[in-house]
Amino acid sequence: MIWTIVIFLSLVSLLAVYSSTGSLAYRTQGGRTEYYLIKQLTVLALGILIIYFAHRVNYTIYSRVAQIGFIISIPLLIYTLAFGSNINDASRWIRLPVINLTFQTSDIAKLAIFMYVSRQLSKRQHVIQDFRKGFLPIIIPVGIICVLIMPANMSTALLLGASCMLLCFIGRVPVKFLLSMMALGIGLVVLLFLVAKLTGEKMRTETWEKRIESFMADDHAEAPYQVQQANIAIAGGGLFGKGPGNSEQRNFLPHPYSDFIYAIIIEEYGMFGAFLILAAYMILLLRSIRIYKNCPYAFGAFLALGLSVTLVIQALTNMAVNVHLFPVTGVTLPLVSMGGSSVLFTSLAIGIILSISRSVDEMEVKKAEQERIAKVVGENANAQVA
């Protein structure tokens, strides 16, 4: 089922990216509209290969590399803040010098912190009710990663923190501990705004403030330009849409191939297509919950659920932004939006989920075989006694 969802979202991505990058291709590639289609096809093909090889690896190995990944993430995030490439007024990317490829270090950090939290939750279940011995060793690394991501990418930091808190809640961490950390997190965000205002530092606080104010405004005319164009696209889509490649707002909507690709999908495929995309992510979550329930080992259960929850939360956030239920953010639609490193790290996360699923299936088959052998032995023994 998860493989089916991956293939479905990949096909949707190819159609939507090819349709929404026409204007971009004329501006940057001299009208070669197939350039971004081939690029996205290459990235998705590489992503599927990553999923396949990652799912063939025993998931317990990811527990061993969790701490190494966390330690590596910290200097990478610091380097990104200090020397990262500035794209769209945000320093989120590192440019590799030889191959001239950029990637977001927050993608590495997200994957590493989920493996780390899952490992710590599984190891500390016997002291999870203790704040100092059980909770602090888990939440401090989460706080470090979120604080390092926050200056350049507030939305990703908040989503990552919320996903980790939810995983901790599932891991039997007391609610009072989580509420105290939520209050501390809100305090840090407020402090960041105040420091930026008082010191006059050129941070993204002005952008965040404008986005929140425009979202809260009663007058639709005060909404950001991209939100207005997204609403026009959604209104024009109707029930079944205008058909593949017939979007009109792709020529007016900023970043229709990444942040606002869901609006283009609705315009071309209507509410029916929008529902299919939403259903795909919900099925992914339900299948991961099933893996969580069937996995006999805590690390695998927490990791499968944690990775799926963060992917689904990211997807729901992107959809909410597109339909103006959430302030504008830079969150993309996993496996659908055009991208490089984001698609590859999403593929790695899905590969890890499938690795856990494969292990659970193998254990269930082995258990069923043992029960069958025991039943046959018992019947033979009864026959001999008779």
Side-chain angles (χ1 to χ4, degrees):
M1 182 63 69
I2 294 177
W3 272 110
T4 302
I5 293 170
V6 169
I7 299 300
F8 169 70
L9 292 178
S10 298
L11 292 175
V12 171
S13 175
L14 290 175
L15 291 171
V17 167
Y18 183 54
S19 175
S20 59
T21 53
S23 298
L24 180 65
Y26 275 101
R27 291 198 309 268
T28 61
Q29 301 300 323
R32 291 188 298 133
T33 56
E34 73 282 357
Y35 172 80
Y36 290 104
L37 172 65
I38 296 173
K39 180 180 178 182
Q40 185 71 359
L41 177 62
T42 303
V43 172
L44 289 171
L46 184 57
I48 290 176
L49 285 176
I50 290 174
I51 294 174
Y52 176 77
F53 287 111
H55 109 283
R56 298 298 302 175
V57 176
N58 191 312
Y59 74 90
T60 56
I61 293 178
Y62 299 115
S63 175
R64 302 171 192 170
V65 303
Q67 193 163 357
I68 299 174
F70 167 68
I71 294 173
I72 293 175
S73 299
I74 295 177
L76 281 177
L77 290 172
I78 294 174
Y79 178 85
T80 304
L81 286 176
F83 308 105
S85 299
N86 193 293
I87 303 176
N88 296 329
D89 298 324
S91 181
R92 305 174 185 174
W93 290 264
I94 285 180
R95 186 177 298 276
L96 300 179
V98 178
I99 59 177
N100 198 29
L101 178 69
T102 58
F103 72 96
Q104 289 195 55
T105 50
S106 60
D107 291 327
I108 300 177
K110 285 192 295 183
L111 193 58
I113 197 62
F114 273 110
M115 289 192 291
Y116 184 84
V117 169
S118 299
R119 174 185 171 88
Q120 293 299 319
L121 280 173
S122 63
K123 291 178 61 178
R124 299 179 184 276
Q125 281 298 300
H126 62 290
V127 292
I128 201 64
Q129 303 292 323
D130 188 293
F131 183 81
R132 184 174 61 86
K133 296 180 180 179
F135 183 59
L136 281 183
I138 298 173
I139 205 63
I140 288 177
V142 174
I144 293 172
I145 295 296
C146 288
V147 167
L148 291 175
I149 294 175
M150 189 180 297
N153 199 342
M154 172 70 79
S155 55
T156 297
L158 294 177
L159 291 176
L160 178 60
S163 300
C164 289
M165 298 287 273
L166 179 59
L167 184 58
C168 288
F169 174 75
I170 296 170
R172 300 192 309 115
V173 172
V175 175
K176 59 182 180 180
F177 295 169
L178 298 177
L179 291 177
S180 63
M181 288 301 106
M182 288 176 60
L184 180 60
I186 294 172
L188 286 174
V189 173
V190 173
L191 180 62
L192 182 64
F193 271 90
L194 292 176
V195 170
K197 288 287 186 182
L198 294 175
T199 60
E201 289 289 333
K202 292 183 179 180
M203 301 177 66
R204 287 177 56 82
T205 51
E206 292 184 3
T207 302
W208 305 331
E209 191 174 355
K210 289 179 181 177
R211 287 177 175 178
I212 294 173
E213 289 177 353
S214 61
F215 175 75
M216 300 298 294
D218 296 330
D219 188 2
H220 177 73
E222 296 181 10
Y225 174 78
Q226 60 263 47
V227 172
Q228 296 181 23
Q229 298 303 317
N231 287 342
I232 295 172
I234 293 169
L239 187 60
F240 296 105
K242 299 178 179 179
N246 293 326
S247 169
E248 297 176 5
Q249 295 310 117
R250 62 187 176 185
N251 299 317
F252 305 97
L253 187 61
H255 306 292
Y257 42 83
S258 55
D259 299 357
F260 284 89
I261 197 168
Y262 191 60
I264 302 300
I265 292 173
I266 298 176
E267 184 181 11
E268 294 188 348
Y269 302 95
M271 295 302 296
F272 178 73
F275 173 77
L276 289 180
I277 300 296
L278 178 61
Y281 289 108
M282 291 297 100
I283 294 172
L284 172 63
L285 180 61
L286 290 175
R287 300 298 291 190
S288 298
I289 291 174
R290 181 178 176 181
I291 296 171
Y292 167 79
K293 292 172 64 178
N294 293 337
C295 186
Y297 302 109
F299 172 72
F302 290 139
L303 185 58
L305 192 60
L307 292 176
S308 62
V309 163
T310 188
L311 290 177
V312 172
I313 288 179
Q314 179 180 335
L316 292 177
T317 302
N318 176 273
M319 296 177 194
V321 169
N322 277 247
V323 300
H324 200 35
L325 292 177
F326 204 77
V328 175
T329 66
V331 175
T332 56
L333 195 59
L335 279 184
V336 177
S337 295
M338 186 177 74
S341 63
S342 60
V343 173
L344 299 182
F345 283 105
T346 298
S347 300
L348 180 56
I350 294 175
I352 294 173
I353 295 172
L354 285 171
S355 171
I356 299 167
S357 176
R358 184 175 64 88
S359 179
V360 170
D361 289 342
E362 289 176 352
M363 285 187 287
E364 289 180 349
V365 169
K366 186 176 180 180
K367 181 180 178 182
E369 182 66 18
Q370 290 174 345
E371 290 176 350
R372 187 187 67 80
I373 293 174
K375 183 179 179 181
V376 171
V377 171
E379 289 175 352
N380 291 338
N382 292 333
Q384 290 177 0
V385 170

